Amino acid sequence: GYSMEMRQRTESSAAAITSSAGATAVTFTNAFYDTGATPPVSVGITTSNLQSGDYYEVSSVSRTGFTIHFKNASNASISRSFEYQAVGYGRQES
């Protein structure tokens, strides 16, 4: 047998990202290791220009990235600025 140990790793956006007026895909610089957990990464979002009633949905979180979609109180797609912080294990380098 063997034992493998991986350190927890954090990746974050270097600057604010402006979403499209629809679902926006974000790709991590280095993919995380797939630990078998679903999802293998925890993603936190910080926004700076939400209006009253605005909200966002984070989906498709994987070891390589995630999708974010901002909407207003009428459920219409909107563009907003955000930053992210992702926490997982390991790193895949290309």
Side-chain angles (χ1 to χ4, degrees), residues 9-11 28 30-34 41 63 86-91:
R9 179 174 73 85
T10 301
E11 183 171 313
F28 301 133
N30 294 296
F32 290 88
Y33 177 77
D34 188 350
V41 179
R63 65 185 207 86
V87 179
Y89 291 91
R91 177 173 69 185

Side-chain angles (χ1 to χ4, degrees), residues 48-88:
S48 58
N49 62 344
L50 290 181
Q51 304 296 317
S52 179
D54 289 354
Y55 66 99
Y56 60 88
E57 300 169 335
V58 175
S59 61
S60 303
V61 177
S62 73
R63 65 185 207 86
T64 59
F66 64 95
T67 300
I68 188 166
H69 192 167
F70 288 89
K71 296 180 181 180
N72 64 19
S74 300
N75 295 320
S77 296
I78 55 176
S79 174
R80 293 289 182 255
S81 297
F82 69 98
E83 295 179 21
Y84 73 87
Q85 183 173 26
V87 179

